[in-house]
Amino acid sequence: MNFELTNEQQMLQDSVARFIQDNYDLESRAKSAASKSGFSQDHWQTMADLGWLGLGFDEADGGFGGGHVDIMLLMEQFGKGLVLEPLLASVILGGGALKRGACAELKTEILPGLIDGSRQLALAYAEEQAHFDLHDVITTARSKDDGFIINGHKSMVLHAGTADQIVVSARTSGGQIDENGISLFLIDADAEGVKRENFPTVDGLQACEVTLKDVIVGSNRLLGELDDGFAILNNVATDAILALSAEAVGAMEILYKDTVEYTQQREQFGHPLADFQVMQHRMVEMFMEYEQCKSLLYRATMEAAQGSATTQRTVHALKHLVGKSGIFIAENAVQLHGGMGMTEELRIGHYLKRMIVIDAQFGNADYHLQKFAA
Amino acid sequence: MDIELGSEDLAFREDVRGFFAENAYKAGEDYNVWRLEWFKKAAQMGGWDVPKWSKEFGGPGWTPTQHYIWEQETATATLPWDMPFGIGMVAPIIMAYGNEEQQKRFLPDIRARKVNWCQGYSEPGAGSDLAALKTKAVLSEDGTHYTVNGTKIWTTMAQIADWIFCLTRTDDSGIKQEGITFLLFPMKQKGIEVKPIITLGGAHSVNMVYFTDVSVPVENRIGEEGKGWTYAKGLLQHERTGLAGISRSIVALEKLKEQASSVKRGNGSLMDEPSFRAKVAELEIDLMASEYTELRSLASASAGSAPGPESSILKLKGTEIQQRIAKLTVEAGGIYSAAWGRGVGHKFAKAGMGGYLASRAFTIYGGASEVQKDVIAKNVLGLKRSTT
Ligand SMILES: Cc1cc2nc3c(=O)[nH]c(=O)nc-3n(C[C@H](O)[C@H](O)[C@H](O)COP(=O)(O)OP(=O)(O)OC[C@H]3O[C@@H](n4cnc5c(N)ncnc54)[C@H](O)[C@@H]3O)c2cc1C
């Protein structure tokens, strides 16, 4: 049992923290969010140059062979800055599907660009009727000649607007909600028949509605075995939940610390707000929830790193707690800031928005509680 | 005790329904013309344009049951938009503490919705501790006018307001609740600057308001100099009971049920999911109780007694319920609630997030919840605090 970071991990944490510190004030973030791509191309390149985009890939694939712990450290710091760059969408989602499913040739074609920042991926898994179920898929892929023809509609595809390629889940056999019969394909984002409608999300990121009409894809672009895409998708979702939870834990830390600081400065009734017992107890509760989330994050991350059989269940627990506690902490941070907490000018509200979106991604607190209890 | 509506009450309800149906907005109509016409017709019904005003000032003089019926019916009907600041907030003060001349001067325009008002209470240093306000009003030597200097914050709709009712400090030698003076003055005049504050989700409803040597005739002072705090406190009570919005929440919950039923889950809908259902049921139970808390409060108010202890919890409970409904709406929208300014997936998801973000202010304005609880502890339970 050891919670100490290795020297490399410590260096990674420090360098990400420094990057956030130096680059991610609210104003610069707003500027990047308002740009066409919705994030800073310069930051993206820096992240690639510092090796962060390759952390999750084996050395054989051109990556840096980092593990779950490294990604956790990275994402926790990203959460503190409310980072906009599409690391989750491109590397953890798109790249996660590729590293698990692509043949050697396809990896050689795609991964180097993904890791050096010149190529961006996205993952189109959600459909309107599916709520949070990854296996509820109507989009179809029919085999034709030496490939497939894809038709359907994918929703809320994170950062698809700037992606070069999109990994798409489609039904190749079985019924609408069967886990079997789902296959993953890598399509070009500007292929004929692909329509992307880009829009902002409430937390300042971007997503697309993606319509696929008779999109032709070669069979060499099938990821994993035919009909067997769900297992890959599920593992990618596990990684995504771990990454999002780390981000949420970073955001929680900012929220409770900002609140502790603000209430010590703001005076009403001749006392700092932090003198009032009601305030103190509430902040203690926020702090407790944060620590509990961090503990469960460590537990889930280390189980995943070891490939433990209980990982899936612990990840359900984690996403439940992070969703519930994250919103509790964020809502109370706003409340304890009073009117100031409601302004766009203070960062508190921006963390609340992010927390709400994190809860809604890959299944909310309720959804994972049910999965855990099942 | 009896909950049966009598035949007179049933007839009243029919009248109200009939009136709403007859005067509903019709597509294509000029909205502003319709709005003013609606209030005129409501006035002809005998004060229906100002339901909460007393009979003396032209209100309908309803029984608590009639008020309750009105509340219920307005929650589902589409009424013209109305701001609370004139009709609901400054008018009761003018009635209670203004002189006859002020009543004649201000009430008719308020009633006709000709003048928009805003509330200038909070200041950067005076939020929950409102009595700490510093905006200074100095009476001229000849006693004809005040000169006002200072800064207000969070002033809702100051950007469109014609008039402001404002708490100012005329004396800071004694305890802070004394020396506060209640002034009314026009917003569109020299020395007043309004700067927007953007709240979560990008809305502009609140403002900073700066006063530099604003001149206010002494005739615009309500009541006595230095007594403004007493007047304002009476008003805050009005504001708070008005913020509970129980009837509106009942309607909102029904809407949420419909929305959740439209979200497919497996073979059923989100409404079939036990955990979601349970949260909706909890809200429904809270609303059943709150509806009767409101009725009890209404009954004791109309019996002429001071608002009973039950009224003190209405703002707390009501706003908490509104927030829970807003949050469940976001939850029902799932990932689609995240799409901003654009309908994606479920139709209702687009409005849900904005509603949720705005709802976070409900437990902050009109007395933040923590402070409200302090007030109840002190005034209702009679508790003392040994430390801060
Ligand atoms: C959307 C919106 C609209 C508004 N509209 C208007 C308007 O039109 N006109 C107007 O005058 N004002 C308006 N307000 C201001 C509103 O009344 C104040 O925000 C409110 O009184 C709280 O003050 P504050 O924001 O300064 O918070 P603070 O007083 O700084 O309070 C911050 C936190 O500390 C807590 N706290 C404070 N004192 C204590 C205590 N003694 N014990 C325990 N906890 C305590 C509060 O509960 C809160 O959680 C509006 C506010 C908002 C957000």
Side-chain angles (χ1 to χ4, degrees):
Chain A
M1 183 59 60
N2 173 16
F3 290 104
E4 295 283 305
L5 299 180
T6 64
N7 279 341
E8 284 85 27
Q9 288 168 340
Q10 190 60 57
M11 272 163 58
L12 171 69
Q13 190 179 50
D14 292 347
S15 93
V16 189
R18 208 170 322 114
F19 171 81
I20 301 297
Q21 183 79 36
D22 294 347
N23 297 291
Y24 254 94
D25 58 287
L26 210 52
E27 205 175 316
S28 329
R29 180 184 187 265
K31 225 177 262 164
S32 303
S35 71
K36 187 156 180 292
S37 62
F39 61 88
S40 155
Q41 298 290 346
D42 288 348
H43 290 348
W44 186 237
Q45 199 50 56
T46 306
M47 290 174 185
D49 295 345
L50 291 170
W52 300 345
L53 307 189
L55 274 179
F57 298 96
D58 290 343
E59 277 163 32
D61 290 337
F64 305 103
H68 284 91
V69 174
D70 301 80
I71 304 272
M72 179 188 83
L73 296 171
L74 176 80
M75 292 306 289
E76 190 180 348
Q77 297 304 319
F78 273 23
K80 291 190 191 179
L82 295 179
V83 164
L84 298 163
E85 283 67 34
L87 192 132
L88 178 79
S90 183
V91 177
I92 294 175
L93 298 180
L98 233 76
K99 76 175 178 190
R100 289 179 170 91
C103 60
E105 210 173 296
L106 195 55
K107 280 186 184 171
T108 316
E109 182 191 330
I110 306 288
L111 290 185
L114 186 71
I115 292 166
D116 73 21
S118 60
R119 183 190 295 278
Q120 210 188 299
L121 299 184
L123 174 67
Y125 60 93
E127 295 187 1
E128 199 176 307
Q129 82 289 345
H131 208 57
F132 296 129
D133 291 326
L134 299 171
H135 52 83
D136 189 335
V137 177
I138 295 181
T139 296
T140 56
R142 267 184 304 114
S143 81
K144 189 176 178 232
D145 306 329
D146 182 34
F148 295 85
I149 299 184
I150 306 181
N151 277 289
H153 183 92
K154 292 287 176 181
S155 259
M156 297 297 295
V157 188
L158 200 57
H159 288 299
T162 43
D164 302 290
Q165 269 101 20
I166 306 174
V167 177
V168 175
S169 64
R171 189 151 288 291
T172 36
S173 72
Q176 182 184 326
I177 56 169
D178 291 341
E179 288 182 5
N180 262 327
I182 295 169
S183 305
L184 300 179
F185 299 91
L186 183 71
I187 63 168
D188 287 338
D190 56 5
E192 208 176 313
V194 179
K195 204 176 100 205
R196 289 175 288 170
E197 272 181 86
N198 197 52
F199 53 87
T201 51
V202 66
D203 53 352
L205 273 59
Q206 294 194 351
C208 280
E209 291 294 290
V210 178
T211 313
L212 306 160
K213 190 161 185 298
D214 296 330
V215 178
I216 298 172
V217 55
S219 54
N220 60 341
R221 305 250 137 178
L222 170 69
L223 306 182
E225 298 294 318
L226 188 70
D227 291 342
D228 260 353
F230 178 75
I232 296 178
L233 209 51
N234 203 41
N235 287 331
V236 171
T238 296
D239 280 359
I241 289 174
L242 288 168
L244 282 169
S245 299
E247 199 189 328
V249 166
M252 288 177 208
E253 186 180 338
I254 296 287
L255 282 163
Y256 96 77
K257 284 187 173 163
D258 271 16
T259 308
V260 168
E261 197 183 308
Y262 180 81
T263 55
Q264 284 175 290
Q265 284 163 7
R266 166 92 174 151
E267 289 195 7
Q268 288 287 274
F269 304 100
H271 296 272
L273 292 176
D275 281 12
F276 300 118
Q277 198 173 34
V278 167
M279 293 272 138
Q280 292 180 357
H281 284 197
R282 194 80 55 80
M283 288 189 279
V284 169
E285 281 164 26
M286 291 161 72
F287 167 68
M288 284 167 61
E289 295 295 319
Y290 157 72
E291 289 292 344
Q292 288 285 89
C293 285
K294 193 163 180 161
S295 297
L296 202 48
L297 173 68
Y298 284 2
R299 180 174 190 146
T301 303
M302 290 195 275
E303 284 186 19
Q306 280 175 358
S308 151
T310 54
T311 306
Q312 177 92 62
R313 193 158 189 270
T314 309
V315 163
H316 287 315
L318 175 66
K319 190 65 172 46
H320 167 74
L321 197 69
V322 158
K324 196 173 70 166
S325 304
I327 294 173
F328 171 83
I329 292 170
E331 288 184 344
N332 274 296
V334 169
Q335 179 69 24
L336 269 48
H337 277 75
M340 284 308 294
M342 286 300 298
T343 62
E344 289 266 310
E345 189 190 321
L346 236 63
R347 60 178 176 176
I348 292 300
H350 299 272
Y351 286 78
L352 169 64
K353 295 185 213 172
R354 182 70 190 132
M355 219 55 109
I356 293 284
V357 175
I358 287 178
D359 179 49
Q361 280 179 305
F362 293 97
N364 65 11
D366 249 18
Y367 180 83
H368 285 283
L369 183 64
Q370 284 177 51
K371 292 269 173 192
F372 182 86
Chain B
M1 291 181 71
D2 178 9
I3 60 164
E4 200 84 42
L5 290 184
S7 57
E8 271 172 42
D9 291 328
L10 288 172
F12 174 71
R13 189 169 70 187
E14 282 318 302
D15 287 350
V16 172
R17 285 183 182 168
F19 179 80
F20 287 165
E22 204 171 301
N23 296 291
Y25 177 76
K26 289 170 203 72
E29 233 174 324
D30 181 324
Y31 185 90
N32 280 322
V33 173
W34 168 75
R35 175 172 181 261
L36 294 178
E37 195 58 27
W38 194 98
F39 287 122
K40 239 186 242 163
K41 286 194 185 135
Q44 286 158 11
M45 296 300 290
W48 287 19
D49 56 332
V50 284
K52 292 204 173 127
W53 287 19
S54 66
K55 218 167 166 135
E56 187 194 344
F57 288 98
W62 286 335
T63 62
T65 313
Q66 285 176 310
H67 277 291
Y68 171 67
I69 291 170
W70 178 264
E71 275 284 303
Q72 275 195 320
E73 296 303 318
T74 52
T76 44
T78 314
L79 268 60
W81 71 267
D82 210 11
M83 290 211 297
F85 304 109
I87 294 285
M89 291 164 78
V90 73
I93 297 250
I94 297 175
M95 291 175 202
Y97 308 107
N99 57 36
E100 209 183 317
E101 198 231 299
Q102 289 168 332
Q103 291 169 352
K104 283 206 184 110
R105 183 171 159 210
F106 292 111
L107 295 179
D109 280 354
I110 292 178
R111 185 166 183 181
R113 275 73 175 177
K114 273 195 195 150
V115 174
N116 289 317
W117 286 80
C118 64
Q119 178 192 33
Y121 282 15
S122 307
E123 295 181 9
S128 299
D129 184 12
L130 184 57
L133 61 96
K134 287 203 176 77
T135 291
K136 228 179 163 64
V138 179
L139 190 61
S140 60
E141 265 173 27
D142 61 4
T144 57
H145 67 274
Y146 289 97
T147 302
V148 178
N149 280 286
T151 305
K152 294 289 174 183
I153 192 172
W154 313 121
T155 321
T156 302
M157 290 298 144
Q159 74 269 33
I160 62 156
D162 307 297
W163 280 73
I164 185 167
F165 54 98
C166 197
L167 289 179
T168 61
R169 182 156 300 285
T170 39
D171 181 4
D172 50 18
S173 60
I175 60 164
K176 61 188 179 183
Q177 285 79 4
E178 287 166 9
I180 292 174
T181 297
F182 200 108
L183 298 178
L184 316 176
F185 50 93
M187 282 294 286
K188 301 196 172 111
Q189 63 169 304
K190 213 175 97 215
I192 301 185
E193 195 192 346
V194 177
K195 275 207 187 134
I197 301 173
I198 304 304
T199 43
L200 296 185
H204 171 206
S205 64
V206 291
N207 302 274
M208 299 278 295
V209 181
Y210 302 91
F211 305 126
T212 315
D213 293 333
V214 177
S215 179
V216 180
V218 76
E219 301 87 75
N220 290 11
R221 185 187 70 215
I222 294 291
E224 289 173 52
E225 183 174 293
K227 289 274 152 57
W229 182 253
T230 324
Y231 311 150
K233 262 178 76 176
L235 172 71
L236 283 179
Q237 208 50 49
H238 265 275
E239 179 184 351
R240 281 172 193 154
T241 34
L243 289 171
I246 305 298
S247 305
R248 258 178 298 129
S249 286
I250 291 172
V251 176
L253 189 66
E254 285 309 310
K255 203 164 119 199
L256 172 63
K257 285 186 196 169
E258 268 168 45
Q259 291 164 339
S261 302
S262 75
V263 176
K264 289 192 207 96
R265 297 298 304 270
N267 292 326
S269 80
L270 186 58
M271 261 320 280
D272 301 319
E273 301 247 326
S275 60
F276 194 87
R277 246 190 129 67
K279 283 191 242 186
V280 171
E282 276 176 340
L283 272 163
E284 203 168 328
I285 291 166
D286 274 339
L287 279 168
M288 285 168 73
S290 303
E291 205 181 358
Y292 267 58
T293 303
E294 190 165 46
L295 273 176
R296 286 170 57 210
S297 145
L298 226 52
S300 66
S302 83
S305 51
E310 67 283 342
S311 70
S312 62
I313 71 169
L314 269 173
K315 197 254 169 182
L316 280 169
K317 261 291 159 198
T319 49
E320 178 213 306
I321 288 170
Q322 290 171 42
Q323 287 182 336
R324 276 157 62 199
I325 294 174
K327 188 157 159 201
L328 265 195
T329 306
V330 165
E331 232 179 279
I335 188 62
Y336 301 106
S337 292
W340 187 237
R342 206 204 111 117
V344 173
H346 316 304
K347 275 202 198 81
F348 62 86
K350 182 179 170 188
M353 184 64 80
Y356 165 78
L357 293 172
S359 81
R360 299 319 306 170
F362 299 169
T363 46
I364 295 171
Y365 62 61
S369 295
E370 292 75 12
V371 178
Q372 278 286 97
K373 285 179 190 167
D374 266 5
V375 172
I376 298 175
K378 193 170 144 221
N379 296 349
V380 182
L381 304 187
L383 300 175
K384 284 201 301 264
R385 263 193 295 183
S386 57
T387 58
T388 50

